[in-house]
Amino acid sequence: MADVQIRDVHKAYGEVETIKGVSVDAPDGQFVVLVGPSGCGKSTLLRMIAGLEEIDRGTISIGGRVINQVEPKNRDIAMVFQNYALYPHMTVAVNMAFSLRLARTPKAEIARRVAEAARILGLTEYLERYPKQLSGGQRQRVAMGRAIVRNPQVYLFDEPLSNLDAKLRVQMRAELKDIHARLKTTTLYVTHDQIEAMTMANTIVVMRDGIIEQAGAPLELYDHPANTFVGSFIGSPAMNLIEGHCDGQNGAIKLDGEAVLRHGVHGVPAGPVICGIRPEHLAIVDAESDGIDVVVTTLEPTGSDTLVQARLGDQIIAAQLRERITAQPGDTIRLGSAPENTHLFDAKSERRIAASD
Amino acid sequence: MSDADQKPAAETVPGLGMTARARLTNLTIDIVLFVFGILMVLPLVLLVANAFKTPQEMVAWPPTIIPADPTLDNFRSVLGETPLLRWIWTSLRFAFLSMVAIVITSSIVGYVLAKFQFRTLEVIFILILATAIVPFEVYMIPLYFQAQSLGILNSIWGLLLGYLVMSFGIFLIRQNVKHSIPDELLEAARIDGAGELWIFARIVLPLLRGPLGALAVLSFFQAWTAFAWPIIVTTSRDAYTIEVGLALFQTGFTVDLGRLSAAAAAVLVPSVTIFVILRRNFVQGIASTGVKE
């Protein structure tokens, strides 16, 4: 077991800089998820930890040892790939025993560890099969088994669930979480799926264009996004971002026309702001209350709640309403939110405006 | 006749008309293929049949498929008067060694070109491809002088000189590696602690069994049927390959169809044997290279 420290790491391919000075701490035993849109550099960063990409600048250390120049096989890591990377001509058992055989582990020890990993992953009856005789979920388990038998200091996962169907993904997510809880090995996990990040991580690192936008606990990111990107990336449906003008005094934000939203941040100077409101924090309010008047375009009743898409000027606003509503597409409704649920971002820098009192 | 032919197609039950027509189309295709198949096989059958015929029957018209009076005289005289077995042995060794060399060089070079990305390697790959468009006739004379100065004329090594590397083989393996072996497989092995040689021997080679089998067949027959180079590099009758020896039959002796047929039939045996053994690889390899870019 060991922690992983990434310090000011850079990586460029020719002229294109894909990692622009990234620092991440993954404390011992933690589950850290690197999340971001495709091309943000998260996979590159993981591959640098694995030793599959060279580090141009900065250091990566595992358990206090700088591993920049250490061969992948000597880093004491195990990696699970998106396409499983199982050896097609070897049985499940041989696939799982592969690294141990290379390390000249005694046969009895190999058999014990493979049996143990197979038991944890429910693969015992498939040990003699070949990868092509397994379903996607089973292959994914074998890939994990191959990592588990090594008992490494760090697990690296590169979008391991992306090739599975939705139902299986949810199931494997829970299994992965359960396995981590049992093994308590430091894990770095790359995904573009914010739900995976939210449900599995101790710490989420949100990346964009080779830099870290924000790192923190899942709910911390959800409740206090550092900027509009994190705000709209974390959470589903995505946060509504509405441009408005702060009057600087009574916590009111004026939009075009008469509509007004309330915010709970003290000491915000007057000027243009971006107002972030999560769909689930919007509710229908009466005509006397503060709120925005929107024209309903689509209604999606899911039983538990109602998803509303509505038009505000030329912008689409999403609202997730707890109640069932009688409005029809084309009707105008007034939506408002509690002041404490309104996030404020600077109109220019798009950074969060924090209370200053 | 034509009425009877058209009846099934003209059946008026809706929905069944198409089936009948489809069946007719299939039948036509079958007949055409069957006729072409016969046309392809017939010369081979006649060749083998001729080998067992007496000189009188050989010139009889129409030619018979099954000899009326089969005889082994042709084989006896061919084997007695020419070093046919020696030629076959030389050809076998030549073709086998060439096959081994080409399989080894193609798999190593093809793998390296497919999976290790350096600009110099790309240049080398283009150079290798370029050699494929230079006709053999252009460089066979310089190659001869090279063989001469190496002192390997009239030897198996002289024969092998131009048959150790095959640019098409390198290309074939490179494409197969690129398309069928994902990078992650090699990366996973590297993380698992495997060295590069180990990865090549235990992961890459087993996964290339199909294309390597096809390449083995191709390269074996390329050497087996080689003519221009063996006739240049071998000057003594004892050093000939079977292909050169067969040509000698037509020119050196009176046109003796019986003995030529017997020699040719004897030569067919190893070819057909190897084809039957490796048939699946052969078809697979060619079929799969056909659909790849």
Side-chain angles (χ1 to χ4, degrees):
Chain A
M1 298 256 221
D3 63 332
V4 177
Q5 285 195 338
I6 301 169
R7 285 281 167 272
D8 196 30
V9 158
H10 292 253
K11 175 78 189 172
Y13 296 96
E15 296 288 292
V16 187
E17 197 172 21
T18 50
I19 306 278
K20 303 165 184 167
V22 163
S23 299
V24 178
D25 270 332
D28 189 12
Q30 293 279 293
F31 199 116
V32 176
V33 174
L34 304 173
V35 66
S38 56
C40 71
K42 57 192 190 297
S43 278
T44 308
L45 189 62
L46 196 76
R47 291 169 58 82
M48 285 159 93
I49 301 169
L52 300 171
E53 301 280 348
E54 282 188 23
I55 302 160
D56 289 353
R57 209 137 52 82
T59 58
I60 296 179
S61 41
I62 297 176
R65 177 174 71 129
V66 176
I67 44 101
N68 284 36
Q69 301 299 328
V70 178
E71 287 281 305
K73 59 181 171 187
N74 298 326
R75 295 188 177 196
D76 205 3
I77 46 150
M79 185 155 171
V80 176
F81 294 86
Q82 180 179 353
N83 63 2
Y84 322 132
L86 301 179
Y87 310 118
H89 54 300
M90 300 178 186
T91 62
V92 169
V94 179
N95 259 290
M96 282 164 64
F98 188 83
S99 61
L100 297 178
R101 284 191 183 176
L102 280 168
R104 300 187 197 284
T105 312
K107 273 208 172 120
E109 172 71 5
I110 293 180
R112 193 187 63 73
R113 286 215 225 166
V114 169
E116 168 70 6
R119 193 186 56 74
I120 293 177
L121 296 162
L123 286 170
T124 308
E125 54 195 300
Y126 302 106
L127 283 175
E128 293 310 312
R129 296 221 192 153
Y130 285 91
K132 64 171 180 240
Q133 298 166 310
L134 302 176
S135 68
Q138 289 165 339
R139 285 182 208 181
Q140 187 54 62
R141 281 200 196 101
V142 177
M144 297 201 14
R146 216 168 56 179
I148 289 175
V149 292
R150 299 186 54 187
N151 194 18
Q153 295 204 0
V154 178
Y155 287 117
L156 305 174
F157 290 93
D158 190 1
E159 308 219 11
L161 305 185
S162 300
N163 283 7
L164 303 178
D165 63 53
K167 199 175 161 195
L168 206 51
R169 211 177 302 161
V170 174
Q171 187 193 335
M172 287 301 290
R173 211 159 70 192
E175 286 186 23
L176 261 172
K177 209 173 163 180
D178 178 46
I179 289 169
H180 178 256
R182 277 196 269 173
L183 300 176
K184 296 189 176 60
T185 307
T186 315
T187 302
L188 280 104
Y189 186 106
V190 161
T191 180
H192 61 264
D193 182 349
Q194 59 91 21
I195 302 252
E196 266 175 41
M198 290 295 285
T199 51
M200 297 168 85
N202 298 119
T203 302
I204 295 181
V205 177
V206 181
M207 292 184 68
R208 177 169 64 159
D209 292 338
I211 58 163
I212 292 177
E213 294 284 358
Q214 191 175 3
L219 293 180
E220 163 74 17
L221 263 60
Y222 186 85
D223 291 337
H224 304 285
N227 51 41
T228 54
F229 176 76
V230 176
S232 57
F233 193 82
I234 299 289
S236 173
M239 178 186 272
N240 297 300
L241 296 169
I242 306 162
E243 286 180 20
H245 195 92
C246 197
D247 64 7
Q249 284 155 29
N250 56 358
I253 306 154
K254 287 209 172 67
L255 310 180
D256 287 346
E258 290 306 302
V260 164
L261 287 167
R262 295 274 163 198
H263 66 83
V265 187
H266 292 290
V268 182
V273 290
I274 297 170
C275 189
I277 305 175
R278 296 203 176 275
E280 58 271 35
H281 291 147
L282 283 170
I284 294 182
V285 293
D286 55 47
E288 282 78 49
S289 306
D290 289 330
I292 47 175
D293 292 317
V294 295
V295 181
V296 175
T297 55
T298 57
L299 288 165
E300 296 173 359
T302 62
S304 59
D305 43 31
T306 309
L307 294 175
V308 179
Q309 304 268 358
R311 197 171 280 283
L312 172 71
D314 51 5
Q315 194 182 2
I316 296 290
I317 301 291
Q320 190 169 13
L321 305 174
R322 285 275 161 265
E323 69 269 33
R324 301 184 180 183
I325 62 170
T326 52
Q328 294 298 315
D331 292 355
T332 300
I333 53 174
R334 173 163 280 210
L335 295 172
S337 83
E340 66 272 20
N341 287 333
T342 305
H343 306 265
L344 282 189
F345 302 100
D346 187 272
K348 234 185 213 159
S349 68
E350 301 192 342
R351 287 183 182 285
R352 180 181 192 81
I353 299 172
S356 61
D357 44 3
Chain B
M1 185 65 193
S2 66
D3 264 7
D5 272 350
Q6 272 166 20
K7 249 190 181 163
E11 301 243 331
T12 46
V13 185
L16 283 183
M18 276 309 288
T19 344
R21 199 178 303 156
R23 215 179 295 146
L24 189 70
T25 315
N26 281 347
L27 187 70
T28 317
I29 292 172
D30 285 350
I31 290 171
V32 170
L33 287 180
F34 183 72
V35 169
F36 270 93
I38 293 287
L39 284 177
M40 303 284 262
V41 172
L42 199 61
L44 216 60
V45 172
L46 276 177
L47 175 87
V48 176
N50 283 350
F52 292 95
K53 285 178 187 170
T54 57
Q56 291 77 15
E57 197 178 353
M58 187 82 68
V59 291
W61 192 262
T64 50
I65 300 283
I66 297 166
D69 182 18
T71 168
L72 289 175
D73 281 353
N74 294 323
F75 287 96
R76 223 168 275 139
S77 77
V78 162
L79 292 175
E81 291 162 30
T82 65
L84 187 75
L85 289 179
R86 191 191 171 91
W87 293 341
I88 291 180
W89 177 235
T90 305
S91 273
L92 272 179
R93 279 193 304 152
F94 169 45
F96 179 76
L97 289 176
S98 162
M99 175 185 87
V100 170
I102 284 173
V103 165
I104 292 173
T105 53
S106 299
S107 55
I108 294 172
V109 178
Y111 166 61
V112 170
L113 288 176
K115 286 297 176 199
F116 296 82
Q117 311 286 344
F118 298 106
R119 198 159 297 159
T120 25
L121 280 183
E122 275 164 38
V123 175
I124 289 173
F125 178 60
I126 291 167
L127 284 179
I128 290 173
L129 277 191
T131 63
I133 58 168
V134 180
F136 175 66
E137 288 75 6
V138 170
Y139 60 89
M140 65 184 181
I141 301 304
L143 200 62
Y144 170 81
F145 286 119
Q146 203 169 359
Q148 192 186 34
S149 61
L150 287 170
I152 52 175
L153 293 178
N154 285 318
S155 77
I156 194 88
W157 307 115
L159 284 169
L160 281 171
L161 194 57
Y163 286 84
L164 295 173
V165 182
M166 185 181 186
S167 56
F168 171 73
I170 292 170
F171 178 72
L172 179 83
I173 298 304
R174 176 184 177 270
Q175 297 309 91
N176 264 288
V177 171
K178 261 192 183 300
H179 288 280
S180 63
I181 302 183
D183 286 343
E184 285 87 350
L185 215 54
L186 311 176
E187 288 170 348
R190 272 174 210 140
I191 292 176
D192 278 348
E196 293 302 322
L197 275 179
W198 208 95
I199 291 175
F200 178 71
R202 301 295 288 275
I203 293 174
V204 176
L205 281 187
L207 293 178
L208 286 178
R209 249 179 317 189
L212 283 179
L215 180 62
V217 175
L218 281 177
S219 56
F220 184 90
F221 283 114
Q222 178 191 251
W224 182 259
T225 58
F227 180 71
W229 177 243
I231 207 171
I232 294 172
V233 84
T234 57
T235 50
S236 79
R237 196 159 170 262
D238 278 349
Y240 285 162
T241 61
I242 186 65
E243 203 65 27
V244 178
L246 279 184
L248 207 69
F249 263 104
Q250 285 163 296
T251 54
F253 295 74
T254 51
V255 183
D256 188 344
L257 266 182
R259 291 203 301 181
L260 181 60
S261 304
V267 170
L268 274 180
V269 174
S271 317
V272 172
T273 312
I274 289 186
F275 181 76
V276 168
I277 294 171
L278 296 176
R279 188 182 50 201
R280 264 186 54 213
N281 287 330
F282 198 70
V283 175
Q284 240 174 29
I286 300 301
S288 64
T289 52
V291 293
K292 289 189 172 144
E293 310 101 300

